Amino acid sequence: MFENLGKRLEGVIRKIRGLGTINETNIREAVKDVRLALLEADVNFKVVKSFTQQVTERAVGQEVLRSITPGQQFIKIVFDELVKAMGGEAKPPEFDPNKINKVLLLGLQGSGKTTFAGKLARRMLKQGFKPMLVACDVHRAAAVHQLEVVGKQVGVPVFSIPGSTDARAIALRGLEEAERQAINLVIFDTAGRLHIDEVKMDELTAIKQAVQPSYCFLVADAMTGQDAVQSAARFHEAVGIDGVCLTKLDGDARGGAALSVSQVTGRPIVFVGVGEKADDLELFHPDRMAQRILGMGDVLTLVEKAQETFDAEQALEMQRKMRKATFTLGDFLNQLRQVKKMGSFADLLKYIPGLGSQIPAEAVDEKELAHIEAIICSMTPMEREMPQIMDASRKRRVAAGSGTTVADVNALIKQFEETKKMLKKFMGAGGFGGAARHPAMGHGMGHGSGKRKKKKRR
Amino acid sequence: MSEPNNQSPPEKRGFFARLKEKLSRTKESIVGRIKKIIRLTGKVDDALLEQIEEILLQGDVGVETTTKIIEQLRQREDARKAENADQVTAVLKDILRSIVEHDERQLKLGDARPYVILVVGVNGTGKTTTIAKLARRFRDQGLTTLLVAGDTFRAAAIEQLEIWAKRTGSDFISQGMGSDAGSVCYDALQAARARKIDVVLIDTAGRLHTKVNLMEELKKVVRVIRKVIPEAPHETLLVLDATTGQNAISQTKIFSEAVPVSGIVMTKLDGTAKGGILIAIRDLFDIPVVMIGVGESQEDLRDFDPAEFVDALFEE
Ligand SMILES: Nc1nc2c(ncn2[C@@H]2O[C@H](COP(=O)(O)OP(=O)(O)OP(=O)(O)O)[C@@H](O)[C@H]2O)c(=O)[nH]1
Ligand SMILES: Nc1nc2c(ncn2[C@@H]2O[C@H](COP(=O)(O)OP(=O)(O)O)[C@@H](O)[C@H]2O)c(=O)[nH]1
Ligand SMILES: [Mg+2]
Ligand SMILES: [Mg+2]
């Protein structure tokens, strides 16, 4: 059933693309599939509901409707929203080497707190910090011993009080010991507990109040199901957390809990555990997580392709006009402006099948292009459509307006007509072959460039 | 919802703002909510089915099994004719029970001595604690038990099991950390024979089912066990955590392909997770659920009772 997820999303793309027109119903169909994918990834049901609502609003609004490759554009919206919902960029905690940084770890039983304590200590040790582990798990059999072994493995001291069952007292004494040893990072490992266990939740609150941690991290298992929201919300409500560490991501869990937990707490996911060893720690990357949740390793490639295709579609539209010889100076101006946004003219030529390879990049003088733009800008729409009406007085006006000479204007018009003729001949010989049969034709270029600007703003 | 201690209000007040409040209020059971909905609408229609579907999904039952349940509910004559909440609940309960009840079986020791029980599962699900609980149970029945420290990887896993051996009055066999798990089992089974032990409980390191080398290691443990006692392990128990979502399906599939899993133990049912994934697992596999864990101490182990499990879902 896991293999089907990627296919499901591919199906979404095909569904939207296959239909000539995109309407609200199509999108709602696709949203249903996205909903299923998220549910199978263990994203909490209510989170899925709000999320898909948001995506639907954005998609139906306009972007997909106007996009040239709506299916891919739609997936991109889903992907972007997912990344946004998980907090954007990875934010590592900031520790000040000149003071005692305190990290309190908490979470359900078996989530990976003790292991994470070792991983964080190792990471910070490498960055020049002097970490210490404090064994506040007084419940689980051999928990203190486990932390001692972990401490030895990574080479940091471990503080414990043998026989003590007072976790708060251990935490406080550990802090004193840290000051004595000039430690600048103290990591408190606590016992796993159920969020509904009032007594144990009180123990956590007491520890937190006593040591005043700089960071309180919830350590959660990536395989957690729908209940992730209940426990995370309760831990946050009762103790208050600053971030989440998601463990066991080295398995095949889709990890939908990541979305659930970050949404319900409003706190970022900071680290992910990717193995049982002390080095198996990584910063959280929302984009990778989004890919994982969607069950598609190649969402990013897909999205990139969507953008490429988009540009190519515009080029194709220009071709169509050229072929029909309806290509005007106005189109040429639009094209020039498009080129400016995209980089170089040579880049644009690459998108024209059968032509790009025939015109060497050096043949394009960008300064000359600026002149050309100025000239066309000074022409009226009518003149751009029919340059043959350009008489001497019109040419003088245009030359003055564009800061060029009448000779420049003449040269442009002559060149343009020649190019048009040449292109016509070229295409008659089948130069643009199959491209002209592309189904996505019929979208205006101005429209397209507006779309592109919108994308850049995001 | 009150503000968390020492925290400024969450800065992220996006489209999920209301969600948090909603969630904190949902403490009812799956079916309790269904009942409420039926009471509100009064009859079984598509809207109601959709809401039941939502509630099942929210209980980790999973898309596939939920769809199946809804389809059955749609088809059933008695559901269509139902006129009140109790009637629909009864039909739904019936369907759920039929899924969970097939091939049911409880953990009963056979005649073989030593009776060898191997405990497997992913990291942190409660394998070691379940062994302690089982040992307690067998000791109470007057049987002798031997706990085998087959987790030679995790820090202090050996010491953890040793503490449980002492607490339950069990024999205990281990080698050092990092030693070969197969070799520990080999020695232990020889010793169990010599000491005329009734039940041998073998702990193993938690491992993600996707780690091929670790699964190979587990297969090897089984091969070594069979070298000493060809019919063993007499039981291979897969320990699943009730808070786990759909991944439990993948765990069950791959573990049962690697070793002869004869029963499932679901732990941590004392939390708020209702273990709805268990319905999916019973739907998709023929492996019975034999025990459930309901706490951290030796006594917190129960036989799995399908009817009781389904009834618990219906409790408000
Ligand atoms: N609330 C609750 N906690 C449990 C239950 N079973 C086990 N635990 C706790 O879960 C944590 C992990 O249990 P272990 O028995 O060490 O799990 P394990 O599968 O042996 O873990 P690894 O060997 O590290 O893979 C411990 O803190 C246990 O006390 C249960 O039924 N309910
Ligand atoms: N595969 C994997 N196992 C992990 C990871 N983090 C912790 N574990 C394992 O999960 C189990 C429970 O971890 P532990 O740190 O004892 O959890 P605690 O009870 O929360 O302190 C142990 O077997 C760890 O080795 C991880 O990122 N990946
Ligand atoms: Mg621990
Ligand atoms: Mg264990």
Side-chain angles (χ1 to χ4, degrees):
Chain A
M1 78 189 284
F2 291 101
E3 307 84 65
N4 293 340
L5 284 165
K7 283 205 197 90
R8 175 166 284 156
L9 286 176
E10 275 161 33
V12 170
I13 295 177
R14 232 175 294 120
K15 219 180 263 176
I16 301 184
R17 186 205 275 142
L19 297 157
T21 57
I22 305 302
N23 56 38
E24 228 174 287
T25 325
N26 305 149
I27 288 172
R28 292 204 193 279
E29 274 294 302
V31 165
K32 259 189 200 160
D33 285 341
V34 168
R35 171 182 171 270
L36 288 180
L38 294 177
L39 284 170
E40 281 181 356
D42 289 323
V43 179
N44 178 270
F45 183 84
K46 285 188 177 154
V47 176
V48 171
K49 211 167 175 178
S50 328
F51 181 79
T52 46
Q53 248 164 31
Q54 174 87 356
V55 166
T56 309
E57 273 163 32
R58 246 194 85 183
V60 170
Q62 44 166 298
E63 297 198 36
V64 167
L65 294 173
R66 288 188 187 170
S67 164
I68 292 166
T69 53
Q72 292 172 340
Q73 191 61 33
F74 175 74
I75 293 297
K76 185 171 158 52
I77 291 174
V78 174
F79 179 77
D80 285 349
E81 288 295 315
L82 212 46
V83 172
K84 212 167 75 190
M86 286 188 293
E89 280 307 294
K91 302 170 200 98
E94 282 161 24
F95 296 124
D96 178 356
N98 300 312
K99 60 169 213 183
I100 301 189
N101 301 274
K102 293 162 281 187
V103 177
L104 179 62
L105 304 179
L106 49 97
L108 296 173
Q109 290 97 341
S111 65
K113 296 171 291 299
T114 310
T115 311
F116 176 75
K119 290 174 179 177
L120 183 62
R122 162 85 113 231
R123 182 186 168 91
M124 298 321 294
L125 189 69
K126 275 190 194 156
Q127 293 184 17
F129 279 81
K130 249 189 101 179
M132 179 169 107
L133 305 176
V134 179
C136 300
D137 182 352
V138 293
H139 297 285
R140 180 172 174 177
V144 174
H145 195 111
Q146 185 187 355
L147 194 70
E148 274 163 1
V149 174
V150 165
K152 201 174 281 167
Q153 282 170 349
V154 301
V156 301
V158 177
F159 179 83
S160 67
I161 304 180
S164 170
T165 53
D166 186 348
R168 181 178 170 276
I170 298 169
L172 278 175
R173 284 273 308 280
L175 206 53
E176 282 169 24
E177 187 58 31
E179 273 168 39
R180 227 189 326 274
Q181 294 188 25
I183 295 289
N184 56 8
L185 173 63
V186 189
I187 302 167
F188 302 90
D189 182 30
T190 64
R193 64 202 75 218
L194 288 172
H195 51 290
I196 51 168
D197 186 331
E198 299 291 342
V199 178
K200 283 189 182 164
M201 290 304 274
D202 287 348
E203 183 196 72
L204 264 189
T205 317
I207 297 174
K208 184 175 175 183
Q209 267 160 9
V211 304
Q212 298 287 325
S214 351
Y215 287 98
C216 219
F217 287 144
L218 172 70
V219 181
D221 188 321
M223 297 180 281
T224 314
Q226 299 284 314
D227 205 49
V229 291
Q230 317 285 358
S231 50
R234 184 75 193 108
F235 273 113
H236 189 41
E237 180 185 71
V239 190
I241 61 163
D242 304 298
V244 180
C245 306
L246 208 61
T247 63
K248 308 179 197 174
L249 264 170
D250 43 326
D252 61 352
R254 294 247 167 262
L259 180 61
S260 306
V261 167
S262 52
Q263 283 310 317
V264 82
T265 62
R267 294 288 179 255
I269 296 170
V270 186
F271 290 110
V272 296
V274 293
E276 298 187 67
K277 306 225 173 73
D279 282 320
D280 300 330
L281 185 70
E282 290 174 6
L283 277 179
F284 175 71
H285 294 288
D287 51 343
R288 284 187 214 163
M289 198 65 221
Q291 286 185 52
R292 184 177 179 132
I293 290 176
L294 289 175
M296 292 181 82
D298 57 350
V299 165
L300 280 188
T301 332
L302 197 83
V303 167
E304 276 160 22
K305 223 164 52 192
Q307 264 150 354
E308 267 178 35
T309 320
F310 178 80
D311 297 331
E313 304 278 359
Q314 290 178 10
L316 284 169
E317 171 57 22
M318 182 177 76
Q319 262 177 51
R320 188 183 65 90
K321 289 195 160 190
M322 286 178 180
R323 204 163 132 271
K324 284 192 173 170
T326 56
F327 183 67
T328 66
L329 276 167
D331 291 331
F332 192 55
L333 177 66
N334 276 337
Q335 213 51 61
L336 275 178
R337 291 186 165 157
Q338 195 64 27
V339 169
K340 276 191 167 169
K341 283 190 212 103
M342 290 182 57
S344 73
F345 192 70
D347 272 349
L348 179 74
L349 292 174
K350 281 206 303 262
Y351 290 110
I352 305 177
L355 187 65
S357 55
Q358 297 184 22
I359 299 177
E362 309 87 72
V364 184
D365 179 351
E366 306 279 343
K367 215 186 267 164
E368 195 189 333
L369 289 180
H371 277 166
I372 293 171
E373 188 183 356
I375 293 171
I376 304 176
C377 275
S378 302
M379 292 163 75
T380 66
M382 174 89 132
E383 289 163 354
R384 290 178 203 173
E385 285 291 316
M386 295 176 289
Q388 60 272 27
I389 64 169
M390 295 285 286
D391 54 22
S393 85
R394 282 178 193 267
K395 282 175 186 165
R396 267 198 307 278
R397 194 200 79 241
V398 168
S402 61
T404 55
T405 62
V406 172
D408 289 333
V409 177
N410 275 332
L412 171 65
I413 294 169
K414 197 170 160 232
Q415 269 173 27
F416 179 72
E417 290 300 335
E418 270 171 13
T419 309
K420 218 168 127 180
K421 249 181 254 157
M422 190 198 80
L423 281 172
K424 223 168 156 183
K425 221 165 72 193
F426 180 68
M427 277 174 293
F432 291 121
R437 286 195 296 272
H438 200 280
M441 297 188 320
H443 297 265
M445 285 192 298
H447 190 168
S449 61
K451 180 73 195 72
R452 199 181 159 81
K453 248 184 268 153
K454 198 180 274 159
K455 238 190 279 180
K456 276 201 171 155
R457 245 185 280 128
R458 277 207 298 276
Chain B
M1 187 186 267
S2 65
E3 282 305 324
N5 305 333
N6 304 333
Q7 294 290 337
S8 48
E11 57 272 22
K12 228 166 86 184
R13 278 264 152 206
F15 61 93
F16 285 98
R18 288 152 291 147
L19 172 70
K20 206 167 134 186
E21 283 135 51
K22 258 189 261 159
L23 285 168
S24 64
R25 283 190 222 116
T26 54
K27 281 193 176 138
E28 298 161 74
S29 68
I30 295 179
V31 183
R33 296 213 297 281
I34 294 180
K35 274 191 180 173
K36 204 174 273 174
I37 289 162
I38 295 171
R39 234 176 269 132
L40 286 176
T41 61
K43 62 179 203 300
V44 186
D45 53 15
D46 278 357
L48 172 64
L49 288 176
E50 206 167 288
Q51 274 166 307
I52 292 177
E53 178 189 42
E54 289 184 9
I55 291 160
L56 290 173
L57 287 173
Q58 221 172 325
D60 285 319
V61 176
V63 175
E64 193 175 337
T65 301
T66 295
T67 311
K68 204 183 277 183
I69 293 168
I70 295 297
E71 209 35 57
Q72 281 186 37
L73 202 55
R74 203 188 290 277
Q75 304 284 316
R76 293 259 300 235
E77 191 79 4
D78 46 358
R80 256 180 289 159
K81 287 192 176 143
E83 276 163 6
N84 58 47
D86 289 341
Q87 285 174 12
V88 183
T89 316
V91 179
L92 183 59
K93 211 165 167 177
D94 198 47
I95 293 169
L96 292 177
R97 202 176 279 162
S98 73
I99 294 172
V100 176
E101 270 178 1
H102 76 94
D103 294 319
E104 70 176 292
R105 179 179 77 86
Q106 292 195 339
L107 187 71
K108 293 249 166 55
L109 293 191
D111 295 330
R113 290 295 178 272
Y115 197 78
V116 181
I117 302 177
L118 178 69
V119 180
V120 303
V122 300
N123 310 81
T125 53
K127 296 173 290 299
T128 310
T129 312
T130 298
I131 285 176
K133 292 169 178 175
L134 285 169
R136 170 83 272 137
R137 171 182 283 232
F138 296 132
R139 293 294 294 139
D140 288 348
Q141 294 169 7
L143 301 166
T144 52
T145 46
L146 169 68
L147 308 195
V148 182
D151 180 354
T152 59
F153 176 77
R154 208 207 68 203
I158 297 169
E159 289 76 4
Q160 184 188 5
L161 191 70
E162 189 171 16
I163 289 171
W164 283 118
K166 279 200 193 106
R167 287 183 189 165
T168 57
S170 304
D171 278 20
F172 175 72
I173 282 188
S174 72
Q175 290 174 13
M177 193 176 165
S179 59
D180 176 56
S183 129
V184 180
C185 293
Y186 190 87
D187 284 359
L189 290 182
Q190 303 278 12
R193 265 190 177 150
R195 297 184 204 172
K196 302 222 177 323
I197 295 282
D198 293 316
V199 187
V200 177
L201 292 153
I202 302 174
D203 192 16
T204 60
R207 69 199 74 220
L208 291 180
H209 48 291
T210 49
K211 311 239 156 147
V212 177
N213 57 332
L214 297 182
M215 293 311 281
E216 283 304 316
E217 184 199 74
L218 197 59
K219 286 186 200 168
K220 188 187 148 200
V221 165
V222 172
R223 282 199 301 272
V224 172
I225 291 172
R226 284 180 179 157
K227 244 186 247 168
V228 188
I229 303 172
E231 308 78 40
H234 303 94
E235 290 278 1
T236 300
L237 301 180
L238 172 65
V239 179
L240 299 176
D241 182 329
T243 52
T244 309
Q246 302 309 300
N247 193 251
I249 295 171
S250 181
Q251 292 171 24
T252 306
K253 182 171 184 286
I254 299 176
F255 267 102
S256 62
E257 278 165 8
V259 292
V261 174
S262 59
I264 287 168
V265 178
M266 177 154 272
T267 62
K268 308 187 193 175
L269 271 167
D270 46 327
T272 47
K274 290 282 172 188
I277 186 64
L278 208 150
I279 294 178
I281 294 210
R282 291 300 286 128
D283 179 37
L284 301 170
F285 302 92
D286 282 331
I287 306 164
V289 178
V290 293
M291 300 264 174
I292 57 168
V294 291
E296 295 187 81
S297 63
Q298 302 169 44
E299 301 77 32
D300 297 328
L301 185 71
R302 306 272 182 275
D303 286 323
F304 177 68
D305 178 341
E308 203 182 295
F309 175 79
V310 172
D311 280 346
L313 292 176
F314 282 73
E315 272 161 22
E316 273 182 71

